[in-house]
Amino acid sequence: MIAAQLLTHFDRLADAPDAIPRLRRFILDLAVRGRLVPQDPNDEPASELLKRIAAEKKRMVEAGKVRKPKMIILVNETEIPFMLPTNWRWSQIAEIGLLSPRNETTDDTLASFVPMPMIAADYGEASNHEVRRWGDIKGGYTHFAEGDVGLAKITPCFQNGKSTVFRDLTGGVGSGTTELHVVRPLFVNPNFVLLFLKCPYFIETGIPIMTGTAGQKRVPTEYFAYSPFPLPPLAEQHRIVAKADELMALCDRLEATQAERETTRNRMATASLARLNAPDPDPATFQIHIAFAFNNFTPLTT
């Protein structure tokens, strides 16, 4: 089912039990499989994008801005979880960005501090931050900057989908909980990376390989950095993110409508019960109230 078909049946699908959370997961799944928007043969293929990323990393290493990254091992065909469109490529988070980046700024710089409770679980929900002096938060915490992508690596935050693109950071830099994996994408839309980190495939595949004791299990760096990552052409990444945002906004509106409908239903049920518990002295009116409650029993109670 492509996005157009999904939109056609959106309202009807949303009435099913637990529908909207399942719709959100379905949208994420379509996004990373190349089924949310049509492919454009005129897009620069992902293979060329990977060449530009590699060239930029080489330039940064030669300029002394970053250390030489670990050698990337190509994704083995046996590791490929699903088929991709022809102009996509299987890659890895480590290949498309810089892992665990560090910030350099003065101690008096005002920056953002992000503890785990401020990291959003739902796609489209912005994370919050506190404003602190960089000198107070630069040590002992995970660094990130504007546009970086962070993944909560500890249970139950990983299972709950806690991940974020760091936006609107004070001073453009920040630090936060040590329970984060962070990547700084190069020439890749950070929100597409976020779609992948929140998609059911990535989370469900990662849960069994978490390490540690119960209640303190963590996603290994190797899983975050070197798992197969479906890379679309950059132009398609932008289209996917725009369509995902559109559909998630529809989900938001449907949730609001459902909540309003639920509130109205509860008020009607309460009013009907009140009329039955305190009958109208007029027998004819009381009979009308009984008939209303009887005829609407299912919609009032389900």
Side-chain angles (χ1 to χ4, degrees):
M1 180 184 292
I2 62 173
Q5 293 171 301
L6 183 61
L7 282 169
T8 301
H9 302 287
F10 215 83
D11 290 338
R12 183 164 57 85
L13 290 170
D15 286 332
D18 195 30
I20 296 177
R22 289 189 291 118
L23 277 172
R24 291 186 188 277
R25 292 193 294 270
F26 188 47
I27 292 165
L28 294 170
D29 191 58
L30 291 176
V32 302
R33 293 174 184 262
R35 299 174 62 190
L36 196 61
V37 300
Q39 280 71 52
D40 185 341
N42 295 316
D43 288 343
E44 176 194 63
S47 57
E48 293 301 312
L49 176 58
L50 287 172
K51 292 178 183 177
R52 288 200 288 126
I53 294 171
E56 176 63 10
K57 284 188 177 182
K58 181 180 178 182
R59 185 194 68 77
M60 295 177 76
V61 169
E62 291 174 348
K65 293 183 177 180
V66 297
R67 289 183 293 181
K68 186 175 181 180
K70 182 179 176 181
M71 180 71 68
I72 299 295
I73 300 175
L74 296 178
V75 177
N76 192 299
E77 287 190 5
T78 60
E79 299 176 314
I80 294 175
F82 46 82
M83 298 301 296
L84 295 178
T86 55
N87 57 353
W88 290 40
R89 286 294 180 272
W90 282 109
S91 181
Q92 298 158 339
I93 295 287
E95 185 176 18
I96 58 94
L98 305 175
L99 298 175
S100 304
R102 301 292 294 177
N103 298 326
E104 296 293 338
T105 189
T106 61
D107 286 355
D108 289 334
T109 298
L110 292 180
S112 292
F113 183 75
V114 184
M116 186 65 78
M118 291 188 175
I119 296 177
D122 293 332
Y123 180 84
E125 181 183 350
S127 296
N128 295 317
H129 67 268
E130 303 167 357
V131 179
R132 299 190 188 179
R133 287 180 65 257
W134 180 247
D136 297 332
I137 60 173
K138 68 178 182 180
Y141 296 108
T142 303
H143 286 203
F144 42 80
E146 189 75 14
D148 289 354
V149 185
L151 171 75
K153 61 185 178 182
I154 193 168
T155 187
C157 301
F158 173 73
Q159 293 93 323
N160 294 339
K162 275 187 173 268
S163 51
T164 190
V165 177
F166 294 103
R167 301 286 193 196
D168 300 320
L169 299 177
T170 301
V173 296
S175 73
T177 171
T178 58
E179 301 293 353
L180 284 177
H181 291 307
V182 176
V183 63
R184 182 165 294 166
L186 299 174
F187 308 131
V188 173
N189 189 317
N191 281 84
F192 181 79
V193 179
L194 186 65
L195 285 168
F196 174 72
L197 296 181
K198 289 185 181 292
C199 79
Y201 159 74
F202 180 76
I203 294 175
E204 291 168 6
T205 306
I207 290 173
I209 63 171
M210 296 178 79
T211 60
T213 58
Q216 290 289 310
K217 290 190 173 183
R218 292 174 174 85
V219 176
T221 300
E222 289 72 20
Y223 180 74
F224 171 72
Y226 302 109
S227 292
F229 174 80
L231 182 68
L234 182 57
E236 187 173 345
Q237 291 175 38
H238 297 325
R239 295 196 300 272
I240 290 170
V241 168
K243 180 58 68 174
D245 289 348
E246 175 190 350
L247 294 175
M248 292 297 186
L250 274 176
C251 287
D252 291 341
R253 292 200 293 273
L254 285 170
E255 280 182 328
T257 300
Q258 283 187 346
E260 184 178 348
R261 187 167 55 196
E262 182 75 7
T263 299
T264 301
R265 183 185 65 83
N266 289 340
R267 287 174 179 169
M268 291 180 65
T270 300
S272 294
L273 288 173
R275 288 168 180 164
L276 296 180
N277 290 328
D280 192 287
D282 179 10
T285 302
F286 183 51
Q287 287 296 323
I288 293 173
H289 292 165
I290 292 176
F292 177 84
F294 181 79
N295 293 331
N296 294 278
F297 182 80
T298 298
L300 287 173
T301 57
T302 58

